[in-house]
Amino acid sequence: ARSNTYSQIFEGLRKLFTTAESAREDFALREAEEGMQHVLDANVTVELMPQNAYIRRLQHELVAKHNLKSTSVGKEPRRRVMILPG
């Protein structure tokens, strides 16, 4: 049996982290899509869960792509996107 090398361990951890980060992005973008649908259906403001700056930017871009408005509210680490009705 051969022991793991540093590079094998590093690569395994990188894949694990990338998968977790990707899952977090997917969840946040799905939440934004559902939030946009709720804004359109009920004409109400929707606040999303707090996210880091990178994910908030992705959410803002997605909202803008669907011709809706959004803003960020709150202070770090609870800063979050708010989707506004038309």
Side-chain angles (χ1 to χ4, degrees):
R2 195 174 131 221
S3 63
N4 286 329
T5 64
Y6 172 80
S7 62
Q8 289 171 318
I9 293 169
F10 178 80
E11 185 60 23
L13 288 172
R14 188 191 64 76
K15 283 181 183 174
L16 183 65
F17 176 77
T18 301
T19 301
E21 195 61 27
S22 177
R24 183 178 174 142
E25 283 176 29
D26 290 346
F27 174 83
L29 293 176
R30 265 197 319 278
E31 183 192 22
E33 287 171 353
E34 291 170 6
M36 287 186 294
Q37 193 58 57
H38 189 63
V39 167
L40 292 171
D41 291 344
N43 199 41
V44 295
T45 298
V46 172
E47 267 187 39
L48 304 179
M49 291 176 55
Q51 300 292 347
N52 65 42
Y54 172 71
I55 291 179
R56 286 196 313 272
R57 189 184 67 190
L58 295 178
Q59 290 174 322
H60 284 299
E61 289 172 355
L62 181 64
V63 170
K65 190 168 113 178
H66 288 85
N67 297 316
L68 289 169
K69 301 281 187 222
S70 62
T71 188
S72 287
V73 296
K75 295 192 184 307
E76 297 291 354
R78 307 264 323 137
R79 197 150 170 82
R80 58 211 174 273
V81 170
M82 187 184 307
I83 306 171
L84 310 167

